[in-house]
Amino acid sequence: MQSVELKGLEQIDRLCKRLERSPEAFAKARRECFESAAQEAKAIVDRQIGGSGKVRSWQEATVGSRGGYARVAPKKDTWTEYTKKKGNRYAVGAVTNAIVSGHRFPSPSGRRYYKPRIRSGGMKVPGRPFYDQAGPQIQDLARRTAERVVERYLKEMEG
């Protein structure tokens, strides 16, 4: 026997072509799933924030440049309106941080070392950790998103 015959070479070629486009197919499926997950995450965080909508309007859903993650965070380069008392403007990220983690407020007399007679926790506004409160729902969303990425990737590789 002077030759060797390989059967099924066409199938191997088709498999090689699929594997060559595999990284692009995975990146596409991942980006699409994370874009939809980012919007769902923003809706979850918006429900936790509540209120009249001002703080909710400061939040934005973003996806990483390579489509590898989604997040909800305060908008960049966005400022509050001017305050009435001093006319200052604050970055919405700083205001959101103060709301989430709590903040001190000035003494009523304006003195630096004011000590209130009531010792009920000091001169601090308690925080509203709406990002932390959304955590369990976001974890469930992350699991569902991973499943969607795999489903879309397999559908792309089969078709």
Side-chain angles (χ1 to χ4, degrees):
M1 201 185 255
Q2 300 283 326
S3 66
V4 175
E5 185 177 309
L6 293 175
K7 296 195 185 230
L9 198 57
E10 303 87 32
Q11 293 173 348
I12 292 174
D13 287 341
R14 274 188 268 141
L15 177 63
C16 287
K17 286 180 183 177
R18 282 187 190 167
L19 291 175
E20 285 174 1
R21 69 175 187 184
S22 176
E24 294 85 17
F26 180 72
K28 179 183 173 190
R30 183 176 63 179
R31 175 168 284 285
E32 289 173 357
C33 291
F34 274 117
E35 284 174 353
S36 66
Q39 297 307 315
E40 290 180 46
K42 182 172 180 351
I44 291 169
V45 171
D46 285 350
R47 283 194 300 272
Q48 291 296 328
I49 292 172
S52 64
K54 183 181 279 191
V55 177
R56 278 186 278 162
S57 69
W58 293 341
Q59 309 304 309
E60 72 176 343
T62 56
V63 178
S65 60
R66 291 186 284 173
Y69 69 93
R71 72 180 190 145
V72 176
K75 294 178 182 175
K76 292 183 178 181
D77 299 326
T78 307
W79 302 84
T80 62
E81 300 89 26
Y82 287 101
T83 58
K84 294 177 186 173
K85 193 171 185 181
K86 294 185 179 179
N88 296 332
R89 292 177 68 191
Y90 298 99
V92 296
V95 177
T96 302
N97 186 34
I99 293 169
V100 168
S101 52
H103 58 89
R104 292 180 54 89
F105 58 88
S107 65
S109 63
R111 291 185 309 174
R112 185 172 180 181
Y113 297 107
Y114 174 78
K115 288 189 176 182
R117 283 179 255 164
I118 300 173
R119 303 279 184 213
S120 64
M123 306 266 299
K124 187 171 187 211
V125 176
R128 288 204 57 227
F130 46 81
Y131 291 126
D132 293 339
Q133 291 170 349
Q137 296 170 0
I138 297 293
Q139 287 175 352
D140 183 50
L141 174 64
R143 183 188 50 75
R144 286 184 283 130
T145 301
E147 290 171 359
R148 276 189 262 163
V149 168
V150 170
E151 287 172 8
R152 285 194 185 180
Y153 176 64
L154 291 176
K155 188 184 288 185
E156 180 76 26
M157 291 305 293
E158 289 173 359

